[in-house]
Amino acid sequence: MRVVVALGGNALLRRGEPMTAEVQRANVRKAAAALADLARDHTVVVAHGNGPQVGLLALQAAAYKDVAPYPLDILGAESVGMIGYLVEQELANALPADTRLATLLTQIEVERDDPAFARPQKPIGPVYDDAEAARARSAHGWPMVEEAKGRWRRVVPSPLPKRITQIGAIRLLVDAGVIVVCAGGGGIPVIRNQDGELEGIEAVIDKDRAAGLLAGQLDADAFLMLTDVEAVYEGWGTPGQRAIREATPAMLSALSFQAGSMGPKVEAACAFAATRGRVAGIGRLEDARAILEGEAGTRVRKMEP
C-alpha cells in the first residue's frame, strides 16, 4: 500500500514537555520506530506538524529587538527544516542502511482572499497560563485562544491549501522508492503575486488538510493522522463520550468537532476517504500499524453497497 502519514506536532512534542532539542529528538526517535515498522511492508510518505515549534521560533524572534521579527512563512521553513532533519535522521537509524530518504521543503499555494486571514484560529506555540497570556498579548499584540481553563495559545490565520507546487518532484521521488518527508507544517504558505510569482504569506496551513491534499494527489491507498489521542470521540469531554472506531465520511461529517483540533482531521479524513477504496485513520502514533489494520484508532472509509 501507499500510505501518507501525518505526524502531529504534539506527537513529536508532548503536551507539557519542555521544548528542548533533546526532548524533541527522543520523541522523533519513537515516531521513527512506528514509521519504520510501516515502511517495511508499505510505501510511506511522511508529513508532520510544527505548531509548537514554529510558535517557539516566533517567540524567540520577537525577543530579539535589533531586527524586525521574521514572518511566519520563513519561521515555518526553519521549523520544517529542523523537524525534517530529525525525522529523516532517526528513520535512517531505524531502517536498513540502503534505505533511500529525502526531506523536501514544500511550498503550498493558498488564496490571497481566503477568509481565514480575517479570522485567526490556528493555535501555535507554547501553552500560557492567564498571566503569561496577558503579557504576550500586551507585548506582541497576538490574538490568543483559551484551549482549556487557564491554558492559552497564540492563534494565527490558517488558509486552505490549494496547490502543492512541488507535487511533480514528490511523485517522482516516491515512484523511485524514496521515503519522502514533505509538506511539513502544512507546507510553507505562498501566494501568487500580480506578476504570477510566488511569495510567502503570514499564515500557517493546517498540516492535516495539507497532508490530505498530498495523499489525494499521490493517489495513496491510506492516509493516517497520528497524534496523542487514541481515537475520534463523539461527545468529547462529556460523561457520555464514545470512541468512534469505524465510520463513513457521511456519518462523520454529520457530527461536530472542535475547529482548532479534531475538526480539521475529520474534514481531511472524510475528503480523502470519499473515494471508494481509500481508508483514512486517526489515532495514536504508537498504534500506527494497528490503525492501518483496523485494530485501533478511528478508520474512515466509504462502505461497499
Side-chain angles (χ1 to χ4, degrees):
M1 298 175 69
R2 179 173 288 185
V3 184
V4 171
V5 179
L7 300 174
N10 289 319
L12 301 177
L13 188 63
R14 307 280 179 168
R15 298 174 193 274
E17 287 183 334
M19 299 175 73
T20 64
E22 293 77 15
V23 166
Q24 291 185 72
R25 179 177 289 280
N27 285 333
V28 169
R29 187 172 295 125
K30 294 174 186 175
L35 294 174
D37 181 46
L38 286 181
R40 293 185 183 98
D41 299 318
H42 306 287
T43 299
V44 172
V45 181
V46 183
H48 59 79
N50 70 336
Q53 295 84 358
V54 73
L56 176 61
L57 290 178
L59 197 61
Q60 292 172 334
Y64 184 65
K65 304 300 184 184
D66 289 354
V67 297
Y70 282 7
L72 277 175
D73 61 306
I74 292 179
L75 295 176
E78 290 181 6
S79 65
V80 168
M82 173 184 69
I83 299 168
Y85 157 68
L86 293 173
V87 171
E88 181 179 328
Q89 188 174 82
E90 292 303 331
L91 273 174
N93 291 336
L95 287 164
D98 60 350
T99 302
R100 294 181 293 175
L101 300 113
T103 299
L104 185 66
L105 291 182
T106 312
Q107 299 178 62
I108 297 185
E109 278 190 58
V110 302
E111 299 291 347
R112 183 190 296 270
D113 59 354
D114 190 300
F117 289 109
R119 298 192 309 272
Q121 292 183 324
K122 179 65 178 175
I124 65 169
V127 176
Y128 301 95
D129 62 26
D130 292 330
E132 291 169 334
R135 285 195 293 270
R137 275 195 298 264
S138 174
H140 309 300
W142 292 341
M144 310 284 285
V145 64
E146 190 173 25
E147 292 190 316
K149 180 67 174 176
R151 295 172 62 83
W152 296 82
R153 291 181 75 191
R154 178 189 178 189
V155 288
V156 299
S158 182
L160 293 176
K162 292 298 184 180
R163 189 174 79 86
I164 300 171
T165 65
Q166 296 132 299
I167 191 62
I170 295 169
R171 191 178 289 117
L172 190 67
L173 289 167
V174 173
D175 289 345
V178 178
I179 296 176
V180 183
V181 183
C182 59
I188 301 161
V190 296
I191 57 171
R192 294 276 176 185
N193 63 23
Q194 292 180 341
D195 298 322
E197 298 171 334
L198 292 173
E199 59 181 41
I201 194 162
E202 188 86 350
V204 172
I205 302 170
D206 181 83
K207 72 101 180 30
D208 295 310
R209 291 190 174 110
L213 178 63
L214 174 70
Q217 294 194 352
L218 290 178
D219 197 23
D221 301 292
F223 172 37
L224 303 183
M225 286 165 278
L226 304 179
T227 181
D228 56 355
V229 178
E230 180 187 6
V232 177
Y233 280 81
E234 184 176 6
W236 172 255
T238 69
Q241 70 179 29
R242 178 185 69 87
I244 301 169
R245 296 302 179 186
E246 292 276 350
T248 65
M251 291 165 55
L252 214 51
S253 296
L255 302 175
S256 178
F257 300 96
Q258 187 176 356
S261 56
M262 193 56 73
K265 290 180 173 55
V266 169
E267 290 175 16
C270 292
F272 177 78
T275 299
R276 197 176 304 279
R278 293 176 175 177
V279 60
I282 301 172
R284 297 187 303 177
L285 172 61
E286 54 267 37
D287 294 335
R289 177 178 287 272
I291 296 167
L292 188 62
E293 296 174 354
E295 297 173 358
T298 297
R299 280 167 44 105
V300 187
R301 58 194 174 107
K302 200 168 185 177
M303 301 300 185
E304 296 295 335

